[in-house]
Amino acid sequence: MSNTLEKKFFYLFIILQPILDLLTSFMSRSMDLPLTIGIIARSLFMVYMFIYALFVYRPQGRIYKYSRWILIGIGIYIISFLGYTLLSKDTSIITEIKGVIKLFYFPIVLTGVFILNERDRLEISNKFLMYLLLGYTGVIFIATITGTYFRSYNEYLYGLGTVGWFFAANEIGSIIAILTPFTIINIIDNKLNIVDIISIILCILSSLYMGTKVPFLGFVGSAGILMVYIIFTSIFTRIKKIPTLLNYKKISVCVIIIGIVFCGLFYKSPVYKNLMFNYGHIINKIVKFIEGPKEENPATKPMAPNEEIVVVEPEEQEPEEQELEINMHINQDDLVGSLLSNRTAVAEEIKNIYKNSSIVEKLVGLGHVIEIKPGISTDKTIEMDQLDIFYRHGIVGTILYFGQLIILMGVIIKSLFRNARYLLDLDVITCMISIFLGIAIAFSSGHVLTAPAVSIFIILSIIKLYNKVVEGN
């Protein structure tokens, strides 16, 4: 396959992501199959990237040698892990293989795309990423206005919201959050056109009407960080008299208008109702805690002319008053548990199983089917990616998993220290915001690094940032 064909194949695969997710949704809802078109296509792409990085193109730089060694290590580890699991546990090998594919898709594809990018620089523009997001938000919008959408939450859970015709609201929400910064920056950094306006409107509507907190917080975080960055750089460039091509007035007006539209729709949206239902009691406690108990101070009340001073002995506090005072305090465990949707309870249970496991299991992991009680096993995840990776694949698997990511981020950070001027580049900051949001969502809500449909967009952001900062493209 020629160099040009390899790039075209890569771009085609990326463009097909929304279609793969749609087909996966229809297959999952209408057929009871162990594999879907999404997992098959992404598995084949992962195998292709593995073969490409090891055998097709072998650049000689030190970083590429480290990358190939990591891939070799991952290959040896996966074979050892599946062999050990098959021989020592009574478990479903299909479930374990699916789990391995979903988790190790990110480091394998990241390494493969990095080496492909070295051979022929990949061009990943903000507009390209905006169109990808438009593919998702457009489907959600059409499905919603036609009344043919699927709910974001299962029937037995309270929660308003639409996921369009897609399947997993948590994964689609994470994709929207990761791609949101590129959509915002595309509209404020270029001349306005109808497509850009439609894309930002659909992005706002999807963030609010999916009903889940991830796309909502992703949009708020993206706009908020960008606004702070714009204010800071505007002041800094004026003080230092540094020339810049950024039109700060236009950017500020665009961000303010976007914020006004977002806030105007927020109080009527499903995400507002869901947040109040799930976190309203915590918000009320915080407000009461800030305000403090509202009691009238007798010392500040003016006395009547003939009023006598009466000394009253202190009385015991009534039980109702004591209960009110207790409720004024915010329980930190309840707060963390609510914000993380009680994932900490599942994490604690898996942690105890890991602590009591054998040395081999501590090194290679517990696997994807975990025996929680004698005769009772589960493949339920913690939904906090760093913990799922560590407990499922142990110390060795975790080191290999994050090896390539740490190397690339180290090179990028080193280049930023050498050329701090890149921090004044809006494209660089946008990539950093996208990566930050992706990692933050992965570590708090999951379904990012361990979800092939989502992790590919983190990979695109990393490669785009690497090209800008390290290669200067």
Side-chain angles (χ1 to χ4, degrees), residues 3-249:
N3 198 16
T4 303
L5 283 177
E6 287 166 351
K7 282 184 69 173
K8 287 183 177 179
F9 173 72
F10 173 78
Y11 290 136
L12 176 63
F13 178 74
I14 299 302
I15 291 168
L16 288 175
Q17 294 305 298
I19 298 172
L20 287 175
D21 288 329
L22 273 177
L23 293 174
T24 297
S25 176
F26 293 139
M27 288 183 69
S28 299
R29 295 179 191 278
S30 59
M31 305 180 213
D32 187 18
L33 297 174
L35 299 174
T36 62
I37 187 67
I39 194 69
I40 293 171
R42 289 174 175 123
S43 299
L44 292 174
F45 181 75
M46 181 183 73
V47 171
Y48 169 70
M49 285 285 99
F50 185 86
I51 294 171
Y52 181 87
L54 283 184
F55 306 110
V56 177
Y57 181 60
R58 297 168 60 87
Q60 296 304 307
R62 188 169 58 177
I63 188 173
Y64 303 105
K65 290 181 180 178
Y66 291 155
S67 298
R68 286 196 295 273
W69 278 113
I70 288 171
L71 269 188
I72 292 169
I74 288 174
I76 294 171
Y77 167 79
I78 289 174
I79 293 169
S80 304
F81 168 81
L82 291 175
Y84 170 76
T85 302
L86 184 63
L87 294 174
S88 64
K89 298 180 181 180
D90 183 18
T91 184
S92 167
I93 191 64
I94 298 296
T95 303
E96 294 293 345
I97 291 173
K98 283 172 63 179
V100 166
I101 291 171
K102 289 180 70 175
L103 258 74
F104 280 93
Y105 180 91
F106 173 72
I108 291 173
V109 174
L110 174 62
T111 307
V113 174
F114 173 63
I115 290 177
L116 173 64
N117 180 70
E118 166 60 20
R119 186 170 189 177
D120 191 1
R121 206 69 62 216
L122 297 172
E123 298 167 6
I124 306 168
S125 67
N126 293 332
K127 193 169 286 291
F128 177 70
L129 296 173
M130 182 200 74
Y131 283 133
L132 285 173
L133 180 58
L134 188 58
Y136 287 96
T137 56
V139 168
I140 293 172
F141 179 74
I142 293 169
T144 303
I145 62 172
T146 57
T148 57
Y149 65 90
F150 300 111
R151 294 177 70 241
S152 294
Y153 293 90
N154 293 323
E155 297 294 338
Y156 56 84
L157 294 174
Y158 173 84
L160 304 173
T162 167
V163 73
W165 294 320
F166 295 109
F167 186 71
N170 40 29
E171 292 188 10
I172 301 302
S174 297
I175 292 170
I176 290 173
I178 291 165
L179 294 179
T180 290
F182 300 105
T183 299
I184 295 176
I185 211 67
N186 188 70
I187 198 169
I188 66 178
D189 201 29
N190 296 303
K191 290 183 178 180
L192 290 179
N193 60 59
I194 189 65
V195 176
D196 293 344
I197 294 171
I198 290 172
S199 69
I200 193 67
I201 290 173
L202 293 184
C203 181
I204 292 172
L205 290 173
S206 297
S207 299
L208 294 173
Y209 282 80
M210 276 193 69
T212 58
K213 59 181 178 286
V214 167
F216 166 72
L217 293 176
F219 193 96
V220 173
S222 298
I225 296 171
L226 277 171
M227 194 64 197
V228 171
Y229 168 78
I230 289 162
I231 293 170
F232 173 78
T233 51
S234 176
I235 295 170
F236 180 77
T237 52
R238 285 185 182 182
I239 292 173
K240 297 292 184 179
K241 296 181 179 178
I242 299 173
T244 177
L245 297 175
L246 295 177
N247 186 337
Y248 289 110
K249 288 184 179 179

Side-chain angles (χ1 to χ4, degrees), residues 229 236 242 415-426 428-429 468-469 472:
Y229 168 78
F236 180 77
I242 299 173
S415 296
L416 284 172
F417 274 115
R418 286 180 175 176
N419 301 289
R421 61 184 175 84
Y422 282 121
L423 294 175
L424 297 175
D425 188 324
L426 211 51
V428 170
I429 297 301
K468 291 288 291 186
V469 173

